[in-house]
Amino acid sequence: MLFRSRATDLEQPLPEDIEAIPHPIVGYFGAVDERIDQALLLQLAEKEPTWQFVLIGPKLIDLSRLEAHPRIHCLGLRSYQELPDYCRAFDVGTIPFVLNDVTRHINPTKLLEYFAARKPVVTIPIPDVMKFYGELVFPAEGAQQWHQQISSALHHEKDTRDLA
């Protein structure tokens, strides 16, 4: 409940480092590791000049290609207590993972946190996510589908207000 109340409290100021980033913000929080589809993020940032991509979490891999892009913001590790404040700035929450044997079998907690923050979610089609939340997420594979689904999510074509 704390995550929801903080992530939806529009009276609270945003952290300075994300407040300065223009909208729309396509956000992710969690470990920034080999699961992140860096090529996908670069393709999306090139294709859509108005979108900003924000990654929050410990940097466990080389992110120099992402960090070199002007619309991809790798903010690094933040405490769990700060995540609702950052999530409040997101227009869309994402799980931009490479789809492989490892990611097919995860059950990402961040999905429920995005729902608690009342954010639309674009994700790879993780079987457990699709089984339990398939009607609520925007599943995507490949840059073209990701672009379409983020566009749809930005227009809130699915309602996540009562999820958490």
Side-chain angles (χ1 to χ4, degrees):
M1 198 58 119
L2 176 62
F3 197 99
R4 174 187 242 173
S5 64
R6 294 253 322 270
T8 58
D9 185 354
L10 301 178
E11 300 296 317
Q12 294 299 312
L14 294 173
E16 288 181 18
D17 55 351
I18 200 165
E19 184 177 44
I21 298 172
H23 288 265
I25 294 175
V26 179
Y28 165 84
F29 56 74
V32 183
D33 58 18
E34 67 281 345
R35 296 173 299 171
I36 297 292
D37 192 338
Q38 292 190 52
L40 170 70
L41 293 174
L42 288 165
Q43 288 175 325
L44 292 169
E46 284 303 313
K47 184 174 178 77
E48 188 57 56
T50 62
W51 296 350
Q52 304 291 319
F53 295 85
V54 172
L55 303 174
I56 298 170
K59 300 175 188 180
L60 305 175
I61 56 172
D62 177 20
L63 299 175
S64 56
R65 291 182 2 190
L66 296 182
E67 292 173 324
H69 198 285
R71 288 186 307 284
I72 299 177
H73 311 271
C74 301
L75 302 183
L77 181 64
R78 299 296 184 269
S79 72
Y80 185 77
Q81 290 75 22
E82 294 174 287
L83 290 183
D85 298 324
Y86 282 90
C87 192
R88 189 169 60 249
F90 294 178
D91 295 293
V92 174
T94 61
I95 304 172
F97 292 165
V98 174
L99 189 59
N100 60 30
D101 288 338
V102 172
T103 59
R104 276 186 188 88
H105 301 287
I106 62 171
N107 191 339
T109 303
K110 68 182 74 0
L111 175 70
L112 299 178
E113 292 161 337
Y114 293 152
F115 285 166
R118 299 183 174 149
K119 301 300 175 182
V121 180
V122 181
T123 180
I124 60 170
I126 301 164
D128 278 352
V129 169
M130 298 311 297
K131 179 179 177 182
F132 296 107
Y133 307 105
E135 296 295 317
L136 304 171
V137 298
F138 296 84
E141 288 185 69
Q144 183 175 346
Q145 272 190 353
W146 270 85
H147 186 269
Q148 291 169 342
Q149 293 292 54
I150 290 171
S151 294
S152 294
L154 286 169
H155 293 96
H156 301 285
E157 294 174 8
K158 296 184 184 191
D159 188 0
T160 59
R161 286 178 295 184
D162 298 321
L163 292 178

